[in-house]
Amino acid sequence: MDAPLSHSPIAAVLTPAARGAVAVVRVVGSGATAACEQYFQAASGRKLAEFETGRIVFGRWIAEGRGTTNGAGEELVVCRRAADDVEIHCHGGTAATSAVCESLASAGCRIVSAMELLRSLEGDAIVVEAAEALTKASTSRAASILLDQYSGALRREVDQLRLLLANGAMEAAMRRIDVLLAHSTVGLRLTEPYRVVLAGPPNVGKSSLLNALVGHDRALVFDQPGTTRDVVTSHAVFDGVAVELSDTAGVRESTDALEASGIQAAAARKREADLIVLVFDRSAAWTTAEVALLNAHPQAIVVFNKADRPPCEKCDATAQPRPDGLPVSALTGMGREQLMHAVVRRLVPVTIPASAAVPFTLRQVRLLGDSGDAIRKGDADQAVKALGQL
Ligand SMILES: Nc1nc2c(ncn2[C@@H]2O[C@H](COP(=O)(O)OP(=O)(O)OP(=O)(O)O)[C@@H](O)[C@H]2O)c(=O)[nH]1
Ligand SMILES: [Mg+2]
């Protein structure tokens, strides 16, 4: 009979299932080295177990099994990190890793996901969550904050909180939980971009502005209103913050069915947005249509594009004056940086100090919230219990 699964070594591909020069498979647990030895032949002819740990060993992976010495097999390097903890560095892509994993499965290893492997080795749930989040971080700012949590910033803060509660310092603990929850507004968005929608009347330069912000011609620009019909998205990084920018159809009454459907798609995108940037043309008349758009989106950042042209001073056709807005020119790039900063200030109002503790999963936020609720009720035991689950 096979050994129980929990006693088998476990193996996982650590690198993503994508194109890459090198992929890494890790094998851990009692019998890991023996399992690798069934397929790995060191170029020197020595057995893997004879090399000291930490040594990088070049050789071949002979999928047919021990004893095949005809020079076939995948060239790779293997490193024993510890007695029964082996890393196999093979060619990237999926073919080589699949072949290695098939061999390892035949040798009795249980093949698991990279996160499962980490979970089975790492006792600290925050470290596991940070490792997983790190694989999804798309900016160095996000990666740096998550690396701090991986290295223990949040764990140390949780330990401090437990100490404070044990000493009856309920108010101090509450203040620190409030800081953590404020930081979580940033933490929860480290692995997905903020959704920013460029909206406004037709022909004001929304598509031009999208192109200026992302630095290449992503959206079609034309000197006639009603050019953009579908929602056009592009990704960018503003001050280290990942944003998904959506350019939308200009809003106006339209009898054209296609344009009307584009305007509907724009409305749907605006409803899902974290932030709307309302774009107007500084050189065009300010009418009731512009006022209606402005009133429909009171939280929007207002931008007056085409600021390279003389402003339209005497052509306003409504009693409601133009609001304050950021003058920009998609044509010359004027105001571009200021717009990016304004967007980031709005999306990320909290500044995270270096090495600060930042909760970054809903689980963490829920448990911190539970702990805070218990403190407010004067229940220190319950507060500690919630923190204990972190
Ligand atoms: N002078 C000047 N012209 C601009 C600027 N931005 C856009 N334009 C011009 O304005 C016209 C419309 O630009 P688009 O970017 O297509 O405008 P839009 O708001 O996306 O238009 P729709 O998709 O029809 O709603 C084009 O002729 C652009 O070259 C600007 O900052 N300055
Ligand atoms: Mg457009």
Side-chain angles (χ1 to χ4, degrees):
M1 221 178 99
D2 286 345
L5 284 183
S6 55
H7 294 155
S8 321
I10 55 175
V13 182
L14 301 187
T15 39
R19 280 192 190 184
V22 176
V24 180
V25 179
R26 188 167 170 195
V27 196
V28 194
S30 173
T33 299
C36 293
E37 273 178 340
Q38 290 189 33
Y39 300 94
F40 179 68
Q41 290 185 354
S44 64
R46 284 169 67 195
K47 288 185 70 174
L48 190 55
E50 291 168 10
F51 290 94
E52 67 272 29
T53 55
R55 176 85 178 269
I56 293 166
V57 185
F58 172 72
R60 286 174 187 278
W61 191 265
I62 311 289
E64 291 83 3
R66 192 193 287 265
T68 306
T69 52
N70 60 2
E74 155 102 345
E75 282 189 339
L76 39 66
V77 294
V78 166
C79 178
R80 280 171 74 228
R81 296 164 51 125
D84 266 324
D85 183 352
V86 185
E87 265 185 17
I88 301 159
H89 295 239
C90 59
H91 286 104
T94 49
T97 52
S98 301
V100 168
C101 287
E102 270 172 38
S103 307
L104 291 170
S106 306
C109 297
R110 187 162 58 98
I111 310 299
V112 298
S113 71
M115 281 306 132
E116 241 180 290
L117 183 128
L118 186 62
R119 269 194 291 273
S120 72
L121 297 178
E122 174 60 60
D124 187 338
I126 295 174
V127 171
V128 175
E129 286 170 323
E132 184 159 21
L134 267 166
T135 65
K136 297 177 190 150
S138 62
T139 69
S140 49
R141 170 184 166 275
S144 149
I145 293 173
L146 289 168
L147 205 54
D148 285 339
Q149 313 320 308
Y150 181 84
S151 309
L154 182 55
R155 172 59 61 208
R156 284 190 291 276
E157 183 62 11
V158 171
D159 290 346
Q160 281 297 314
L161 283 170
R162 293 171 75 170
L163 208 62
L164 285 172
L165 289 169
N167 291 324
M170 303 277 266
E171 270 182 31
M174 194 63 240
R175 276 196 300 276
R176 289 172 87 139
I177 286 182
D178 284 342
V179 171
L180 285 175
L181 291 175
H183 285 180
S184 76
T185 57
V186 173
L188 290 173
R189 296 305 297 265
L190 291 173
T191 54
E192 56 173 314
Y194 289 93
R195 288 156 304 189
V196 177
V197 172
L198 299 174
N203 214 42
V204 294
K206 299 178 297 299
S207 302
S208 307
L209 202 53
L210 174 94
N211 293 343
L213 289 170
V214 301
H216 63 98
D217 286 344
R218 171 71 182 89
L220 207 66
V221 168
F222 198 58
D223 65 0
Q224 297 297 317
T227 302
T228 303
R229 301 294 174 93
D230 220 339
V231 177
V232 177
T233 60
S234 195
H235 287 85
V237 177
F238 295 170
D239 295 343
V241 174
V243 292
E244 180 202 73
L245 284 169
S246 296
D247 174 28
T248 56
V251 178
R252 65 172 172 178
E253 290 296 326
S254 175
T255 48
D256 179 305
L258 186 59
E259 186 177 357
S261 129
I263 294 169
Q264 269 179 22
R269 192 54 68 105
K270 279 189 280 185
R271 281 194 293 275
E272 294 164 2
D274 293 302
L275 177 66
I276 296 172
V277 175
L278 268 187
V279 187
F280 297 107
D281 182 343
R282 197 178 73 152
S283 66
W286 180 252
T287 72
T288 48
E290 278 76 19
V291 170
L293 254 175
L294 184 70
N295 291 342
H297 305 293
Q299 306 297 333
I301 288 184
V302 175
V303 157
F304 284 105
N305 189 36
K306 308 197 187 181
D308 53 288
R309 285 184 178 171
C312 174
E313 273 163 355
K314 297 214 170 83
C315 58
D316 285 2
T318 163
Q320 187 169 330
R322 289 174 191 243
D324 286 339
L326 199 63
V328 300
S329 167
L331 196 70
T332 66
M334 172 199 156
R336 184 176 163 272
E337 299 291 320
Q338 289 88 331
L339 175 55
M340 290 178 175
H341 296 322
V343 165
V344 170
R345 269 199 306 277
R346 241 345 156 71
L347 293 172
V348 193
V350 185
T351 308
I352 304 286
S355 310
V358 179
F360 55 94
T361 67
L362 287 173
R363 184 191 76 89
Q364 296 162 3
V365 172
R366 180 176 49 77
L367 289 169
L368 286 166
D370 289 352
S371 185
D373 289 347
I375 293 175
R376 267 186 286 269
K377 287 181 196 148
D379 189 343
D381 288 349
Q382 191 55 36
V384 171
K385 206 169 156 195
L387 292 176
Q389 291 174 51
L390 270 164

